[in-house]
Amino acid sequence: MLTEDLRQQFISVVGQKWFLDSPNELHAYSYDATPLLQSIPDAVIVPGSVQEVAAVLRMANEHRIPVIARGSGTNLAGGAIPVQGGIVLNMNRFNQIYEIDEKNLTATLGPGVITADLHTAVEAVGLFYPPDPGSMRISTVGGNVAQGAGGMRGLKYGVTKDYVMGLEYVLPTGEVLRSGGKNVKDVAGYDLTRLLVGSEGTLGVITEITVKLLPFPATKRTLVVYCRNLVDAARIVERIIAARIIPATIEFLDQATMKVVDDFAKLGLPLDMASMLLIEQDGVEAQVVQDIEKIADIARQTGAAEVRMAATMEEGAKLLAARRSALSALSRLRPTTILEDATVPRARLAEMVEEIERVARKYNLQICTFGHAGDGNLHPTCMTDERDHEEIERVERAFEEIFHAAIRFGGTITGEHGVGMAKSRYLHLKVGEGAIELMERLKAAFDPNNILNPGKVFAKRDRRRIVVRQS
Amino acid sequence: MTTKIPELMNLTERAGSETPHAETPHTPVAAAREALLGKFDMDELLNCMHCGFCLPTCPTYQQTGLETYSPRGRIALMKGVAEEKLAIDAEFEKNMYACLGCRACETACPSGIAYGQLIETAREVVEDNKKRQGKRSFTRKMIFKNVFPHPKRIRAFGTALWVAQALGLQKAANRTGLMRILPREIAEMQHAVARIASPVQRKQRSPMLPSEKEPILKIGFFKGCIMDEMFYETNQATARLLSKAGCDVVFVEDQACCGALHAHSGEKSGAANLAKRNIEAFERAGVDFVVNNAGGCGAALKDYGHWFTHDPEWRGRADSFVAKVRDANELLVELPPLTFHKPLNVRVTYQDSCHLAHGQGVRNQPRQLIRSIPGVDLVEMSHPDSCCGSAGIYNIMNFDMSMDILDDKMEDVQRTKAHMIVTANPGCLLQMREGIMRAGLQGQMEAVHIMDLLDRAL
């Protein structure tokens, strides 16, 4: 609880309207998009300027109050949960695009800009911001940067971290710092921009972002490949890449996911198939057509049961839109949907999918798998019911096995969702104890009082369950 | 993958003294509370995975940027109340009534949450709780118990409005005290009301308008209470169109208000009583279809099955009734095409009725009909299916929010450079007229019901 004196101080900074702490307001900022996690903050503050952010942080730091910066709250790893209470700092009033620099091909914007709005704005002048996380219609660019968000175009274009050129950020002391900028080449000192990307709000609060833009591709084509077994699908992906073709997107859906998506989007998918690949190539017309035809040939020669080219760009877009809704469409099956993002090198994709199926059988769970096959980023998704504690226990054990398997195959515990609370106790599997200690020292250099998003990334690794504060 | 066991969380103590926890079970009070909270569909509340995909489609979230004004936030609050972590208090009431009920979130929701039903239940819980505590507002009682269920009283209301307009004096309405029975805001909206048909005109309506050709269908016309008072001519135009398209149009006797306003305002039993009267009236009339021209009414009529979920006696009759309900747009595109003789030469834009688009999934049919009129150029807004802020009586109950939404809508309208806003629901029509006035575009832009537009081109 904040003292009345502190309340008034915060209100004097941002104004009554942007300081929220009624029971219902606090309740509405106690969750993000992660299942099963909820914790009530002490206040919600919606700052309107960098000066306000600095003042709030300074006061919070002085009084050792946790500050959890967030955008739209679409995180899937518990990153925006105020697990130790404190202040939820909602950055969505920073929603202006300050500049689209067509000469330097950059955009400079506030962290509260919705990702899809950035797409619309830059595309209107023939430019392209490729990162497209599944929640892009509501996620903020600030959230994407803080979490190192990915998306469907990672294979060819990379992810959010590959587009962030410069940042303005505020430290707990209230110091406002800048890193990077519009320079393609810039090796002046440590790359603090890269350090802040994916830091999950634990190092500083981002208040301005400069991103790199590309020319908008002239055209795109979508191809659908249906396979009678998983191994064929994985082998098709491997052979496309081996043939030196880098498609913009290769998405993968297993049979269970296909069924649910088809029910939702009414696409008339052949539901007797074991899996499908959605492949999209973009670029100049001639190259795109040539690539797509070559991909179709490879698929046919590699055991595809059916290869179909989307007749129009609209049909292609509709197929991809269906893929975008896969996660949420799955949630229709059972009340609780738990989605992970274990990632493996592309060549181990088939093995990983089979391992997930084995684990699902072992623990008697329903796990559907879809994801970004082109970059090995899978989304094993478990449909369960949070009221069934025994089943939830099995889900937890199953995912633990899945994470270990991903590491065994040379992969990682999280490809694009972040560590947050959900995967903090597996972090050591990927990075090792030494790296965790170094990260903790870095964290202390930025935030010695540990007020910025405490309880995230670094877990007490001896505990299986994170215990939420009992104040 | 982390598991959070709910009892580890400190939610309840933080809700503080407002949480109705103190009472021990087994008392009559506790039992009543249990019955009240039992109204929440817990399975459906849990189906919400709080992905947030609804947020960008929600007009009140777009206006405020606040989670409490979003569908995801409201569902979280309902869940909080259902789990007794939050109280059914004034704040909860404000949160639930700040929703337009436009159901745009349902279109966006990949999990298929029946949000419209959840918000109706939440309001029902709020209202039942107030009844239990003996705290009911006089205005609400006035409107829901003494006006809408009584066609004659609505007619009297309409007649009085007509008198006021015929005299050219809005003041007359105030002088007669008519406007005093309704809140201040209704008076502000009242200048958007079109000329109302005279009582004489209305009495001349024959009970049936026969088909102009060999009849294909016999349809029962659902007039709608507001629609028939304020937009009598639009109802007549709709009947003419249906008759030209080959329908015998029956103005079914003894029909009542659809009950939408009751249902959206937590008055479920009042809504169900009106539904029963309509089901009986249209059963007696023995018609092929029940046709209406108001998206809001149509969505309610199609929802009757859900209203009788726990009433096996009426459930079956409601389902058969629902199977016959069609919006006039839906039916007209299925019938042989109308022949238009008068090209209109106008650029128009179409404002979806939320309950026609999101509630009934009728989006293409009105557009198809508009495009079929010679000389009409349909230019789409960037967000035609985003609510205009009318939302039943929302623009009366939440006037300021409604006007903020409307002003944004008018900016979208003006970008189309259209001279006409076509709508498919009386509330939207009034609201768009209000919007034209607020934007200072009287004389340059007109709002019309789609049936009037089609009728003009015949």
Side-chain angles (χ1 to χ4, degrees), chain A residues 364-395:
Chain A
N364 189 26
L365 295 167
Q366 185 182 18
I367 302 182
C368 294
T369 303
F370 62 96
H372 319 293
D375 51 35
N377 179 196
L378 292 171
H379 290 307
T381 303
C382 183
M383 276 62 67
T384 178
D385 188 331
E386 65 182 76
R387 292 166 292 193
D388 184 342
H389 293 193
E390 183 274 327
E391 184 172 315
I392 292 290
E393 184 72 23
R394 276 186 281 132
V395 173

Side-chain angles (χ1 to χ4, degrees), chain A residues 25-331:
Chain A
E25 286 166 340
L26 297 179
H27 192 92
Y29 290 85
S30 64
Y31 52 83
D32 57 17
T34 318
L36 310 173
L37 295 175
Q38 198 175 17
S39 180
I40 303 286
D42 296 303
V44 180
I45 293 179
V46 196
S49 68
V50 65
Q51 291 77 16
E52 290 180 8
V53 173
V56 169
L57 284 177
R58 213 167 24 238
M59 281 161 58
N61 195 37
E62 196 179 311
H63 296 277
R64 308 289 188 265
I65 301 164
V67 175
I68 300 87
R70 67 167 249 177
S72 297
T74 54
N75 184 261
L76 286 165
I81 310 275
V83 63
Q84 297 181 11
I87 295 164
V88 167
L89 197 66
N90 190 354
M91 298 297 288
N92 65 356
R93 286 172 70 203
F94 286 70
N95 59 357
Q96 299 299 310
I97 298 173
Y98 306 118
E99 181 196 47
I100 296 173
D101 182 341
E102 296 183 50
K103 293 194 186 83
N104 286 306
L105 296 190
T106 62
T108 300
L109 55 140
V113 170
I114 303 294
T115 315
D117 291 347
L118 177 61
H119 290 156
T120 308
V122 303
E123 284 167 22
V125 292
L127 294 173
F128 186 36
Y129 175 70
D132 60 343
S135 54
M136 64 181 189
R137 284 189 195 290
I138 185 60
S139 69
T140 61
V141 178
N144 296 166
V145 171
Q147 297 298 136
M152 308 212 306
R153 299 195 273 238
L155 171 60
K156 181 173 177 178
Y157 291 106
V159 293
T160 306
K161 72 174 180 202
D162 300 306
Y163 291 85
V164 181
M165 296 181 74
L167 294 172
E168 178 192 75
Y169 58 99
V170 187
L171 293 178
T173 51
E175 290 166 88
V176 180
L177 302 178
R178 301 188 80 94
S179 68
K182 291 182 181 179
N183 301 298
V184 173
K185 295 184 176 176
D186 184 354
V187 290
Y190 291 166
D191 190 347
L192 296 178
T193 309
R194 275 295 183 107
L195 181 59
L196 281 155
V197 175
S199 64
E200 307 195 14
T202 61
L203 299 181
V205 174
I206 296 166
T207 48
E208 191 191 283
I209 302 162
T210 298
V211 295
K212 177 173 82 176
L213 303 174
L214 300 176
F216 193 74
T219 190
K220 59 183 165 190
R221 288 277 197 289
T222 308
L223 187 80
V224 189
V225 177
Y226 300 106
C227 299
R228 288 214 172 76
N229 59 63
L230 289 166
V231 177
D232 285 346
R235 205 174 294 131
I236 290 168
V237 174
E238 286 163 25
R239 292 206 179 152
I240 292 168
I241 309 293
R244 308 289 181 266
I245 302 172
I246 308 290
T249 295
I250 306 180
E251 292 296 303
F252 159 88
L253 278 72
D254 73 358
Q255 188 182 41
T257 312
M258 284 167 69
K259 281 183 176 155
V260 182
V261 167
D262 192 60
D263 184 44
F264 175 58
K266 305 280 182 286
L267 296 170
L269 303 176
L271 300 176
D272 53 332
M273 295 292 166
S275 70
M276 70 185 280
L277 294 170
L278 282 163
I279 303 169
E280 194 168 80
Q281 180 60 309
D282 61 9
V284 293
E285 178 87 22
Q287 185 67 48
V288 170
V289 170
Q290 189 189 319
D291 282 355
I292 285 287
E293 279 168 6
K294 208 165 157 192
I295 291 168
D297 285 344
I298 292 169
R300 285 189 202 99
Q301 288 157 15
T302 316
E306 196 190 331
V307 177
R308 203 154 53 88
M309 203 167 132
T312 59
M313 260 169 80
E314 288 73 36
E315 194 186 316
K318 200 173 160 192
L319 285 171
L320 284 176
R323 159 60 188 87
R324 285 199 179 284
S325 68
L327 153 64
S328 303
L330 286 171
S331 86

Side-chain angles (χ1 to χ4, degrees), chain B residues 4-62:
Chain B
K4 188 75 311 332
I5 303 301
E7 52 268 23
L8 288 180
M9 299 184 311
N10 57 344
L11 286 163
T12 44
E13 61 194 84
R14 293 190 151 260
S17 56
E18 290 178 67
T19 310
H21 249 314
E23 297 158 9
T24 49
H26 313 303
T27 65
V29 180
R33 194 182 65 227
E34 216 164 87
L36 192 60
L37 296 179
K39 285 175 188 277
F40 284 111
D41 182 346
M42 207 55 205
D43 287 336
E44 192 69 354
L45 290 175
L46 278 171
N47 277 333
C48 170
M49 60 187 300
H50 31 105
C51 65
F53 285 19
C54 52
L55 270 59
T57 69
C58 176
T60 56
Y61 181 76
Q62 287 302 309

Side-chain angles (χ1 to χ4, degrees), chain B residues 136-447:
Chain B
R136 298 212 62 206
S137 101
F138 176 73
T139 314
R140 283 190 65 91
K141 196 172 157 198
M142 195 69 198
I143 298 175
F144 289 108
K145 235 176 153 178
N146 298 343
V147 180
F148 284 110
H150 303 283
K152 276 185 191 156
R153 290 184 202 174
I154 293 171
R155 206 166 305 136
F157 179 62
T159 304
L161 276 180
W162 177 81
V163 170
Q165 290 197 334
L167 293 172
L169 290 170
Q170 298 290 320
K171 285 177 198 152
N174 293 327
R175 222 179 286 142
T176 58
L178 176 74
M179 299 320 293
R180 243 175 278 148
I181 65 162
L182 296 166
R184 162 188 76 92
E185 288 81 356
I186 208 168
E188 300 208 26
M189 284 303 297
Q190 205 242 343
H191 63 269
V193 176
R195 282 190 61 86
I196 287 170
S198 76
V200 179
Q201 267 176 294
R202 264 179 247 220
K203 274 198 179 146
Q204 284 167 351
R205 174 150 75 189
S206 60
M208 191 185 73
L209 184 65
S211 173
E212 287 197 7
K213 50 191 180 194
E214 188 60 34
I216 306 167
L217 294 172
K218 178 183 174 190
I219 65 115
F221 193 83
F222 182 85
K223 297 181 287 187
C225 53
I226 306 258
M227 199 69 211
D228 209 44
E229 290 313 311
M230 296 195 173
F231 301 101
Y232 175 84
E233 271 308 321
T234 306
N235 273 353
Q236 294 302 98
T238 311
R240 273 194 296 279
L241 290 161
L242 289 163
S243 138
K244 277 203 192 302
C247 299
D248 281 338
V249 182
V250 184
F251 292 94
V252 173
E253 297 273 326
D254 300 325
Q255 56 177 289
C257 164
C258 63
L261 293 178
H262 286 75
H264 303 331
S265 310
E267 302 285 337
K268 192 54 81 54
S269 67
N273 286 335
L274 292 165
K276 286 178 186 173
R277 277 162 60 186
N278 284 322
I279 292 167
E280 280 174 341
F282 282 85
E283 278 174 354
R284 270 197 305 275
V287 291
D288 300 318
F289 289 105
V290 179
V291 183
N292 76 94
N293 60 10
C297 302
L301 297 175
K302 287 181 182 177
D303 220 14
Y304 278 7
H306 166 69
W307 294 3
F308 295 105
T309 310
H310 305 296
D311 186 343
E313 190 197 330
W314 279 90
R315 177 68 200 243
R317 290 171 77 177
D319 286 343
S320 327
F321 176 86
V322 170
K324 289 182 179 177
V325 177
R326 295 287 184 280
D327 183 81
N329 288 289
E330 271 181 288
L331 198 62
L332 283 172
V333 296
E334 298 290 328
L335 292 165
L338 295 160
T339 318
F340 297 107
H341 298 289
K342 292 179 226 152
L344 296 180
N345 301 324
V346 62
R347 178 192 281 239
V348 309
T349 193
Y350 176 68
Q351 165 63 30
D352 281 285
S353 148
C354 291
H355 284 194
L356 192 57
H358 305 298
Q360 303 180 58
V362 177
R363 293 182 176 81
N364 294 329
Q365 297 91 326
R367 291 179 165 83
Q368 197 181 324
L369 289 169
I370 292 169
R371 288 203 177 95
S372 71
I373 305 171
V376 169
D377 181 16
L378 174 63
V379 183
E380 294 280 6
M381 283 177 259
S382 59
H383 298 101
D385 65 347
S386 179
C387 184
C388 64
S390 158
I393 54 172
Y394 188 91
N395 51 5
I396 298 167
M397 309 304 254
N398 298 275
F399 185 72
D400 295 333
M401 176 79 81
S402 167
M403 292 302 123
D404 289 345
I405 292 169
L406 177 59
D407 293 343
D408 286 354
K409 172 62 69 180
M410 289 310 296
E411 282 179 26
D412 201 359
V413 167
Q414 289 187 62
R415 277 191 289 271
T416 68
K417 300 192 165 59
H419 294 289
M420 200 183 267
I421 311 168
V422 185
T423 69
N425 183 59
C428 315
L429 184 52
L430 285 177
Q431 181 86 345
M432 295 321 299
R433 283 190 182 148
E434 174 73 17
I436 290 169
M437 282 184 251
R438 285 174 69 88
L441 294 167
Q442 303 97 311
Q444 300 160 55
M445 195 185 278
E446 177 188 16

